[in-house]
Amino acid sequence: MTLKPLLMSDKKDDDDGESGVAVKTRTRTKRPPLYKVLLLNDDFTPMEFVVHILERFFGMSHAQAFEIMLTVHKRGVAVVGVFSHEIAETKVTQVMDFARRHQHPLQCTMEKE
């Protein structure tokens, strides 16, 4: 019996095509879902109070806040920001607590984008 050296080309493809070379796989981190924070219109909360909320909790200029307030007033609802779940939840809580403390029925909610 004669032994001959085993060459790579003689190797059978029984390892599912793997060549023994280390391949770097890059896993992509999935971005967390974003949530829209919405202000809902009511017939009782003063427009100035809504403008104040938008300036204070959403960092809007007076002009931006006034435009969003008009959208809420005319359409019944407006998106006031898009945030991660935790930040959106915090904003909703802050707005609702502030409105209740000032005895206004303003509603603020969030929904997945």
Side-chain angles (χ1 to χ4, degrees):
M1 178 172 174
T2 312
L3 295 176
K4 72 176 195 176
L6 179 63
L7 303 173
M8 287 300 285
S9 59
D10 293 340
K11 184 179 175 190
K12 288 189 178 178
D13 220 8
D14 61 353
D15 62 350
D16 296 332
E18 292 182 24
S19 63
V21 176
V23 179
K24 255 188 181 179
T25 56
R26 194 172 193 187
T27 57
R28 288 208 165 150
T29 304
K30 203 174 185 182
R31 289 183 181 233
L34 296 176
Y35 291 79
K36 297 183 281 190
V37 175
L38 308 163
L39 270 187
L40 307 173
N41 190 39
D42 63 70
D43 294 332
F44 304 102
T45 304
M47 292 179 176
E48 298 81 22
F49 186 77
V50 175
V51 169
H52 180 70
I53 289 273
L54 294 169
E55 291 171 344
R56 180 174 177 161
F57 296 107
F58 298 94
M60 295 183 187
S61 69
H62 187 75
Q64 290 172 313
F66 190 81
E67 286 298 316
I68 297 289
M69 177 276 298
L70 285 178
T71 302
V72 172
H73 181 69
K74 291 176 184 175
R75 295 192 179 163
V77 65
V79 175
V80 296
V82 179
F83 308 97
S84 68
H85 184 270
E86 293 79 14
I87 293 173
E89 198 171 51
T90 300
K91 298 274 186 195
V92 168
T93 301
Q94 288 174 331
V95 169
M96 295 294 290
D97 288 348
F98 192 74
R100 296 300 158 265
R101 280 197 314 271
H102 290 85
Q103 300 177 342
H104 294 299
L106 183 66
Q107 292 295 305
C108 185
T109 187
M110 61 189 258
E111 66 181 39
K112 198 170 189 178
E113 189 172 50

